[in-house]
Structures are given as structure tokens and as C-alpha cells.
Amino acid sequence: MDRIPFGIAGLDEMLGGGLIRQTICAMIGTYGTGKSTFALQFIYEGLLRGENVIYFSLEEREDRIYDVMTDRKFKIDKYRDKSLFVIKLDPTDFNFSINSIKKDLPEMITKIGAARVVIDPISLFEGLFDDPSERRREMSYLIELLRDLDANFLLTSETNTTDAYTSKYGLIEYLADTVVVLRYIRPDDLTEVHMSIEVVKMRRSKHSREIKPYEILQERVNVYNEASVF
Ligand SMILES: Nc1ncnc2c1ncn2[C@@H]1O[C@H](COP(=O)(O)OP(=O)(O)O)[C@@H](O)[C@H]1O
Ligand SMILES: [Mg+2]
């Protein structure tokens, strides 16, 4: 099976070599767990492999995203606006409607010929809908549109406030092919918070079921596939 390396060695091992080509991965975690950091690593890996990539940012401004990449020593100058596209979508913008998303998003992805696409976070987009059944219908439709494109998707989502394994709206984990959960672990006897990563779902593939520790460093993310959290 054709694998798309995520770009983080320990995670790629957990995924059995990487994401399966032309699939949708959801990364779920509360604020500060590193969703955006993982997502940037994912698109940078694509750039290094000569792919075109798009990072749709619903939270942070474009210049901030570029700054973060520069902080992380990603050499992006030669890729900017050639194969690397960071696009800010503003959910409060009057023109930012479900209809424009359904039309413009696939168009942009096709035009740029993006092999990797990040939507960070998809939960802000889901929040546009007040009615849960409308949200479910529209999100299913959007995901189907994305499935027809020859691209690999990483969608991030905040968690539900009471359950670290459930996304904010409880939808994306069902719609995505692969689900990765990022979580804080606060053991009673420790004074330091640990971070753990799990692959909880991967359609059409065997994958690790283990809970592994990870760490965000200045210049990279380490997933310690050899280590144990407990
Ligand atoms: N340069 C860095 N060095 C060390 N840790 C960092 C660095 N950048 C981010 N982090 C860690 O990552 C966390 C934020 O990650 P981020 O990807 O923004 O999370 P999320 O998108 O899930 O809210 C910070 O709270 C910090 O702990
Ligand atoms: Mg973020």
C-alpha cells in the first residue's frame, strides 16, 4: 500500500509506515497538545519530498504560521508561494460560508495540485453550524468532496471538554480514515505533565495500539516509539 510518511519517525512507525495515500487523518487534542506543530511538520515533510502543500489556518494569521516555521528552522523561503501555500480562513468573515468552502476549497487544492492539505482546526469550521443535524450533513458532504481529490488530508480538532478521545463536535473521528489522539497525562505522583500519542483508528491498515510519549522541542517533535508512558 502506498504510504505517505508523516515526517515524525516514531509516529510513522506507529502508523505502519505512514498514512495511506489519499486518505483523511484527524488529529484530536486539547489546546497546547501540539496539533498545529504536528501539522506543520506534516506539510514540511511534503515540501522536502517535492510536493505542493496547503495549510488552511482558521486560527492563526499567515505571518504567524511562517514565523513559527522559521523558529523551527524550517527552510521555507524557496517554497513560499511556489509549493507552500498558507491560507488564512476567517470563520467570522461574512463571506466565509459553507457554500464558499464547498466550492473554493476543492478548487484551490486542485489548482495548486496539493499533495498535502491541512485544515487547522476543522472544529472552528464545524462551529459555523448551530444545528447538529445540519452540521453532520454538511461535514459528511465536505469530507466526501475532499475524498475525490488526489491529496492527503490532516484535519485537527479540539477535544470535547469532558473526554480527551472525542472531538469537539464528535463527528470528525467517524468521518476520518485515521484518528490520532494527543493527550496530557498527569500522574498523581509526578509533578510534570507528560504528553501521549495514540493511533486510535486506521481504516484498511494494521497499526500500533500503544500509547507512546512525545515531546515538542524547539526544532522538532519526537515520538518515542521505543518508550512506554507508564
Ligand atoms: N519552539 C518550541 N519549543 C518547545 N515547545 C514548544 C515550541 N513550540 C511549541 N511548543 C509546545 O507546543 C505547545 C503548543 O503547540 P501547538 O501546536 O500550538 O498546540 P495546539 O495546536 O494543539 O494548540 C506549546 O504549549 C508548547 O508546549
Ligand atoms: Mg493549534
Side-chain angles (χ1 to χ4, degrees):
M1 200 128 35
D2 212 357
R3 296 283 174 164
I4 306 297
F6 201 102
I8 298 170
L11 175 57
D12 280 324
E13 279 169 39
M14 294 173 78
L15 293 166
L19 299 170
I20 295 168
R21 190 191 163 95
Q22 219 181 332
T23 58
I24 296 167
C25 175
M27 185 161 254
I28 301 172
T30 187
Y31 59 89
T33 45
K35 299 179 297 297
S36 301
T37 308
F38 275 81
L40 289 175
Q41 197 75 46
F42 174 72
I43 60 159
Y44 190 52
E45 179 68 18
L47 290 173
L48 295 176
R49 289 172 179 271
E51 300 169 4
N52 291 358
V53 304
I54 313 182
Y55 189 105
F56 290 106
S57 174
L58 281 83
E59 222 159 41
E60 299 222 62
R61 282 181 1 214
E62 289 151 31
D63 55 335
R64 277 279 306 140
I65 306 278
Y66 286 122
D67 286 349
V68 172
M69 285 196 268
T70 308
D71 286 350
R72 299 187 74 72
K73 303 279 191 293
F74 291 2
K75 298 192 174 52
I76 52 168
D77 288 350
K78 64 175 173 185
Y79 304 118
R80 266 186 82 158
D81 302 320
K82 294 189 185 74
S83 55
L84 166 63
F85 297 86
V86 176
I87 299 168
K88 172 81 164 86
L89 301 175
D90 187 355
T92 59
D93 184 341
F94 199 66
N95 291 320
F96 184 91
S97 68
I98 179 67
N99 287 324
S100 70
I101 282 288
K102 282 194 295 204
K103 189 171 151 299
D104 297 345
L105 222 66
E107 260 181 29
M108 277 189 260
I109 294 165
T110 308
K111 191 163 155 239
I112 289 170
R116 296 185 190 224
V117 179
V118 167
I119 305 179
D120 181 31
I122 193 83
S123 39
L124 274 182
F125 181 48
E126 295 173 285
L128 287 173
F129 306 99
D130 294 326
D131 176 37
S133 58
E134 187 193 3
R135 179 184 305 126
R136 181 178 295 270
R137 193 172 58 245
E138 293 291 353
M139 289 307 295
S140 312
Y141 183 75
L142 176 69
I143 294 295
E144 285 314 310
L145 286 181
L146 300 184
R147 269 189 208 296
D148 288 336
L149 304 170
D150 186 14
N152 306 289
F153 291 89
L154 179 63
L155 315 178
T156 70
S157 175
E158 294 297 323
T159 47
N160 177 302
T161 47
T162 54
D163 176 9
Y165 288 92
T166 304
S167 73
K168 183 154 184 192
Y169 295 102
L171 280 178
I172 203 69
E173 54 271 50
Y174 295 96
L175 299 174
D177 304 291
T178 304
V179 178
V180 176
V181 169
L182 303 178
R183 205 155 56 88
Y184 295 116
I185 296 184
R186 298 192 173 91
D188 292 338
D189 55 340
L190 291 180
T191 52
E192 195 176 90
V193 175
H194 291 228
M195 318 284 285
S196 78
I197 184 166
E198 260 174 274
V199 179
V200 292
K201 165 180 172 182
M202 195 170 189
R203 281 182 187 141
R204 294 158 51 203
S205 177
K206 191 172 151 46
H207 61 87
S208 165
R209 290 246 167 229
E210 290 180 309
I211 305 172
K212 292 297 176 185
Y214 70 94
E215 196 175 23
I216 298 173
L217 305 174
Q218 177 64 37
E219 291 174 25
R220 63 176 193 279
V221 182
N222 282 340
V223 171
Y224 300 103
N225 196 30
E226 302 302 316
S228 169
V229 186
F230 304 106

